[in-house]
Amino acid sequence: MTKVKTTCPYCGVGCGVLAKAGHAVTGDPAHPANFGRLCSKGAALGDTVSLEGRLLAPMVDGVETDWDAALGLVASKFKKAVEEYGPDSVAFYVSGQLLTEDYYVANKLMKGFIGSANIDTNSRLCMASSVAGHKRAFGADTVPGQYEDFELADVVLLVGSNLAWCHPVLFQRLAAAKSARPEMKVVVIDPRRTATSQIADLHIPIRPDGDSGLFNRLLVELEVRGLIDASYTDAHVQGLEAALEAARANQSTQGLAAQDVAAFLDLWCGVEKVVTLYSQGVNQSGIGTDKVNAILNCHLATGRIGRPGMGPFSMTGQPNAMGGREVGGLANMLACHLDLENADHRHAVQSFWDAPRMADAQGLKAVDLFQACADGRIKALWVMSTNPVVSMPNADAVSAAIRTVPFTVSSDIIKETDTNRCVNVLLPASGWGEKSGTVTNSERRISRQRPFLPVPGLARPDWAIIADVGRRMGWTQAFDYQSEAEIFREHACLSGLAAQFGKDFDISGLADLDDEAYAALRPTLWPVPKNGSADIRFFANGGFYHAGRRARMLPISTSAPEQLARAGTLTFNTGRVRDQWHTMTRTGRAAKLGAHMAEPYLEIHPQDAEAFEVTDADLALVESAYGSAVLRVLISEKAQRGSAFAPMHWTGETSASGRINPVVAPKIDPVSGQPASKHTPVTIRRFKAAWYGFAAGVGRISPVADYAAIARSATGWRAEIANRAAPTDWEDEARRVLGITSGEATVYADPGRGVARVAICEGDTLLGVFFAAPEPVRVARSAVVDLVGQNVAAAQALAGVPGLDRPQRGAIVCACFDVGVEDIRRAIATGVQTVDALGACLQAGTNCGSCRPELAELIAAAPRPRLAAE
Ligand code: SF4
């Protein structure tokens, strides 16, 4: 079997990959999103496809059953709820991980047949404010440009985006373009100085939610400098004067250095080719939609949109967030960018589907949906391919809400997740590498996901599961799909109908693909109309989707940074790390990805650390009005004073106390319904434990502790632990933590100092090692992990330091070649001064390139070696 061309299942860049069972996944040189590049997550995909932990058979109340029994139960419970309480008594919560064909069938079942719009998606948490902003400005949810615009631009603004970690391949493309054309300028607008700032000519440490004030300031400056493009705005835009008036009154740049603001204005105004990319820092806000429209206003006012090298660009988080938008998989959308509130649109879709009962009003958006679960309005809930108990704000309340619903279902590839522990029925879905369909990336490019692995156990594609339930609910013909190709053709055909209503999303030119052509479909940018070709960029010559084909500039008055944090609190900002994806159900399986950031952390500014009396490597208790988390303190000058950042990936499986979304307020943007996940006021204080520990063993570690974080390692598992109560016997404690009952334990304990070390060996083989101390333990973790499973003397393991033949590597920076931070520091100390030179001597950064910003940071932070002449 040759390698199969498929698409990475993680972020919205949508990289093409070449995959074959048992082989490393590589980038597809022919795919226009990545041209062969991959990031560390994509490169490690081959390590994540094992069957460990997979859900392989349907389960009802914890007992395995067959499909007939499980789906019969699901169909009857949903049907009964609809009959007794009406269509709005049931809900689907779906995911940007679904393929377009899955999404299409789920949306059709809920909106056209059950007759409710209670289908929302985890994409609500990611880009709903961009969708709402696009619709307000353009009349449709249209991303005007494409990736090559970043390479063609003279100035690229990255607003609320840590592109280097969250969309690494696009960052690599941008970095390469800047390197080839150093006159290109990059501006990063972000409260934190992230890895992305490594290539920035200017970093603007915006105050939380200060973005719309800054872009209002820009709009005013564009007018002052005579840069409003009257020929464009006269012909294609309305609302310019009102937007300018609001901008003049709300142009706050509070907290920013005057020279930074001046430099920003000069850069934006000084060239025509400007791309403004924005992501979660803009969207995940109580004023996210206004922030989006403040950005769009500047591009509309100057006509810098839809032409090569210029335009606003919303970057989606998930692999198929765009596909979900296309099929109408949000509670406020109809299929194919048609409008739920428009009776003509509804009737057209109803007639196309031959549907009995169309939803005629918006359904419940994510936060409201789980609130409706909590207060008893939802009688049956189906969660598909997502883990809301980890990812939703106020997550503990979401867990309780799901348990309140009388009948709950989850279709998933993994058996044990925080959400799956709350539901009645588990349905095994086929996963990446097994399923077939399409996804659409952030630049509107439709790519195929193709199978290269056998489907395990009784798993089925999501579309087949949903369609089966539709048939069992009585809609035999409408859900009689035989293949994903058939669903795609129906979706493409419906888009042609939408185009007749003047909508942007038109792939009717793909409606006649036969099965063979669908199987061979190359990455394709939409629109693809039936007759003739279409421009792949939108709006260079107007043609917006509001009545009169004019865009609308919005008056934005939400400009002054809100007083988010009260005195004595910090603004809690949530985000992502480089090598993990969402709730780690896949990336958590790859040891090399766990070695970069092995536990959850709280990044705060040194002055805040001093004020809150925590020091580096302490554990901090983070508390809000909603919940709490315990996180490792990481003090950094890159943090903004008054803010605290934490990544969102850890779960009940990997760090129960490190789950951060129980802390996050369920506050939403009133226009988009998107949660403001970056703005919760919190207090922090030192988490005082009786002892802190580190353990590494050959088997899975499942410590029961006040704080624990586990990660896979190259030799087994590793864990950070802390407990308030001291154990009575350290060997018992070590065995309990490591889950090892056999072997011989060597114990070193100093009760006076509260220090203990335990090594457990079976013959000459080290099964596990455990360290405890009254302060966070200082051991060479990577060296200890390397010893596990090896023939080593217990005394060597208990030393906790690398042997002479095993230099300490430290946290892994280059996941591809397993190069640690200490390896890199040693090389820099010998005089290595560039990222390329580090690559030449250590290979670091020479494969996927995701670590190059961190390599540059380490070089910049290192003391300059003294020259002989100095
Ligand atoms: Fe996958 Fe990385 Fe590409 Fe995103 S940038 S699609 S995670 S390989």
Side-chain angles (χ1 to χ4, degrees), residues 8 10-11 14-15 38-39 41-42 168-169:
C8 175
Y10 296 131
C11 84
C15 296
L38 286 183
C39 74
K41 294 185 284 288
V169 164

Side-chain angles (χ1 to χ4, degrees), residues 112-123:
F113 289 77
I114 290 174
S116 169
N118 282 349
I119 171 170
D120 211 40
T121 161
N122 59 12
S123 298

Side-chain angles (χ1 to χ4, degrees), residues 341-366:
E341 291 86 357
N342 184 312
D344 291 340
H345 292 185
R346 284 200 309 272
H347 291 148
V349 175
Q350 181 164 19
S351 154
F352 180 87
W353 281 341
D354 195 15
R357 183 165 50 193
M358 283 295 290
D360 58 5
Q362 289 194 11
L364 294 164
K365 296 171 184 161

Side-chain angles (χ1 to χ4, degrees), residues 55-354:
L55 175 64
L56 295 172
M59 300 185 78
V60 175
D61 295 329
V63 178
E64 281 193 12
T65 186
D66 58 26
W67 277 110
D68 194 43
L71 294 189
L73 181 69
V74 173
S76 70
K77 289 284 188 182
F78 270 76
K79 201 166 175 213
K80 190 159 178 282
V82 171
E83 283 165 2
E84 281 185 26
Y85 301 100
D88 289 336
S89 68
V90 302
F92 294 167
Y93 186 65
V94 302
S95 165
Q97 300 286 314
L98 290 177
L99 305 186
T100 299
E101 292 75 2
D102 306 322
Y103 241 136
Y104 178 86
V105 179
N107 191 53
K108 177 177 175 180
L109 176 58
M110 182 54 83
K111 293 211 178 105
F113 289 77
I114 290 174
S116 169
N118 282 349
I119 171 170
D120 211 40
T121 161
N122 59 12
S123 298
R124 177 74 59 195
L125 316 183
C126 148
M127 50 64 202
S129 294
S130 284
V131 174
H134 288 160
K135 290 184 80 169
R136 291 203 307 190
F138 306 148
D141 175 24
T142 315
V143 174
Q146 55 183 114
Y147 293 162
E148 71 171 25
D149 291 327
F150 297 92
E151 294 155 334
L152 298 172
D154 293 321
V155 170
V156 175
L157 256 63
L158 305 171
V159 191
S161 161
N162 185 3
L163 200 71
W165 280 18
C166 299
H167 300 99
V169 164
L170 198 54
F171 178 81
Q172 289 170 34
R173 285 182 63 168
L174 178 63
K178 183 167 166 55
S179 166
R181 212 159 41 88
E183 66 275 18
M184 171 199 268
K185 302 294 180 204
V186 174
V187 181
V188 171
I189 300 175
D190 195 314
R192 304 162 60 218
R193 190 171 179 85
T194 63
T196 304
S197 305
Q198 272 303 322
I199 63 162
D201 298 280
L202 176 64
H203 168 234
I204 296 192
I206 194 98
R207 294 271 299 278
D209 272 350
D211 322 53
S212 49
L214 181 66
F215 281 89
N216 273 348
R217 174 76 189 87
L218 172 61
L219 185 61
V220 172
E221 189 71 12
L222 290 167
E223 186 194 28
V224 169
R225 297 196 194 192
L227 291 171
I228 304 289
D229 182 344
S231 64
Y232 188 85
T233 55
D234 287 352
H236 306 303
V237 177
Q238 67 184 58
L240 171 63
E241 276 313 317
L244 277 169
E245 196 178 324
R248 285 184 212 109
N250 299 281
Q251 47 176 324
S252 167
T253 55
Q254 192 184 333
L256 298 179
Q259 68 270 23
D260 285 352
V261 176
F264 162 70
L265 296 174
D266 285 345
L267 283 171
W268 216 96
C269 296
V271 297
E272 189 182 28
K273 289 186 174 179
V274 179
V275 168
T276 307
L277 176 149
Y278 53 94
S279 192
Q280 317 301 37
V282 170
N283 292 331
Q284 290 182 333
S285 155
I287 55 168
T289 309
D290 277 359
K291 296 200 295 187
V292 169
N293 285 107
I295 292 169
L296 300 184
N297 278 350
C298 295
H299 282 273
L300 289 170
T302 52
R304 296 177 185 182
I305 187 166
R307 287 183 282 152
M310 60 186 93
F313 198 101
S314 147
M315 201 63 211
T316 59
Q318 295 198 78
N320 201 28
M322 283 287 264
R325 286 146 78 167
E326 291 157 12
V327 303
L330 289 151
N332 52 324
M333 298 171 83
L334 194 53
C336 296
H337 289 193
L338 289 164
D339 301 319
L340 200 52
E341 291 86 357
N342 184 312
D344 291 340
H345 292 185
R346 284 200 309 272
H347 291 148
V349 175
Q350 181 164 19
S351 154
F352 180 87
W353 281 341
D354 195 15

